[in-house]
Amino acid sequence: DAKTTQPTSMDCAEGRAANLPCNHSTISGNEYVYWYRQIHSQGPQYIIHGLKNNETNEMASLIITEDRKSSTLILPHATLRDTAVYYCIVRVLRTGANNLFFGTGTRLTVIP
Amino acid sequence: KAGVTQTPRYLIKTRGQQVTLSCSPISGHRSVSWYQQTPGQGLQFLFEYFSETQRNKGNFPGRFSGRQFSNSRSEMNVSTLELGDSALYLCASSLAGTGSREQYFGPGTRLTVT
């Protein structure tokens, strides 16, 4: 699975959009981009995933560049409860490959 | 639908002892994966079980083992505990199929080895 690079930490004002970048320049054509987050002392939580097209769900939007070498997770209106470590993971979907490789992630702090 | 449950939530053991942790996946989920999280190494994949068979394994010593029962519940065992085994152990479940899209994590078991 391709390696990802994320900033170590970011701050965001409450109510503003939080834009979390991720570089995955060695991504292969069949690898998906996943985002998980981990709120302090809890298990990671799935947020969103995508292959090529931009995706949106009730939690966030995922913007993937046309060359797929980078992506951005957007939390449209950050709240204090969004303070967490956000992990960008690139993986192939195949049987017997449910192992996720978590990097160091981005620690997002939402400021009141 | 109930989420992934893990027991116990907290555990204190002594070096050299062994420990068994339990994970009950979401109803209908047949894949269970285990992860270890430490401040130094972050989140690392231990192994995955599906239909009572281990089908994927991370880079951990043989002291770490697991199993899955016919009801998909899973246990992991660590023998001859070392101080470095102190960690948060997380279990995740997912649907079967050609690459499950989402994994659902439990709250974890925090193991302290003294």
Side-chain angles (χ1 to χ4, degrees):
Chain A
D1 291 341
K3 184 179 174 180
T4 62
T5 305
Q6 299 177 251
T8 304
S9 63
M10 293 180 65
D11 292 339
C12 177
E14 189 178 16
R16 305 296 294 269
N19 296 278
L20 292 93
C22 179
N23 283 321
H24 31 78
S25 58
T26 59
I27 192 171
S28 301
N30 61 346
E31 288 181 309
Y32 286 72
V33 180
Y34 277 74
W35 284 84
Y36 280 77
R37 74 180 181 184
Q38 186 174 25
I39 296 170
H40 182 62
S41 294
Q42 297 182 22
Q45 177 190 23
Y46 164 82
I47 301 173
I48 198 167
H49 74 278
L51 181 64
K52 288 191 243 188
N53 300 321
N54 298 337
E55 302 287 345
T56 296
N57 63 19
E58 64 280 0
M59 285 183 70
S61 295
L62 173 60
I63 308 298
I64 303 173
T65 58
E66 196 168 335
D67 62 8
R68 304 212 319 124
K69 291 181 187 292
S70 65
S71 60
T72 301
L73 177 75
I74 301 172
L75 309 178
H77 305 286
T79 71
L80 299 179
R81 286 177 294 180
D82 292 322
T83 293
V85 177
Y86 287 76
Y87 296 97
C88 170
I89 299 167
V90 174
R91 61 175 291 225
V92 173
L93 288 184
R94 61 172 180 261
T95 302
N98 267 341
N99 48 314
L100 297 174
F101 291 95
F102 289 85
T104 52
T106 296
R107 182 173 298 277
L108 174 69
T109 302
V110 180
I111 302 167
Chain B
K1 201 184 250 193
V4 177
T5 57
Q6 292 186 245
T7 56
R9 292 292 312 279
Y10 302 91
L11 203 49
I12 300 175
K13 289 285 189 178
T14 305
R15 266 182 306 177
Q17 288 186 314
Q18 67 94 26
V19 67
T20 299
L21 312 180
S22 180
C23 171
S24 292
I26 292 172
S27 177
H29 286 192
R30 295 168 63 192
S31 167
V32 174
S33 299
W34 288 89
Y35 293 81
Q36 180 198 64
Q37 185 171 29
T38 60
Q41 300 297 320
L43 267 159
Q44 292 186 288
F45 172 76
L46 279 156
F47 29 65
E48 181 205 0
Y49 285 86
F50 174 74
S51 289
E52 302 177 63
T53 302
Q54 186 183 90
R55 68 176 183 181
N56 213 349
K57 188 176 189 303
N59 189 26
F60 278 81
R63 299 186 297 107
F64 292 81
S65 63
R67 59 177 175 167
Q68 186 180 34
F69 302 94
S70 58
N71 62 357
S72 294
R73 189 177 70 85
S74 176
E75 289 181 347
M76 69 161 282
N77 183 277
V78 187
S79 62
T80 320
L81 283 166
E82 300 176 0
L83 294 179
D85 297 333
S86 294
L88 180 67
Y89 290 89
L90 292 156
C91 158
S93 78
S94 56
L95 289 168
T98 307
S100 301
R101 300 191 179 276
E102 297 127 46
Q103 292 193 38
Y104 297 86
F105 284 80
T109 294
R110 185 162 296 281
L111 171 66
T112 301
V113 182
T114 63

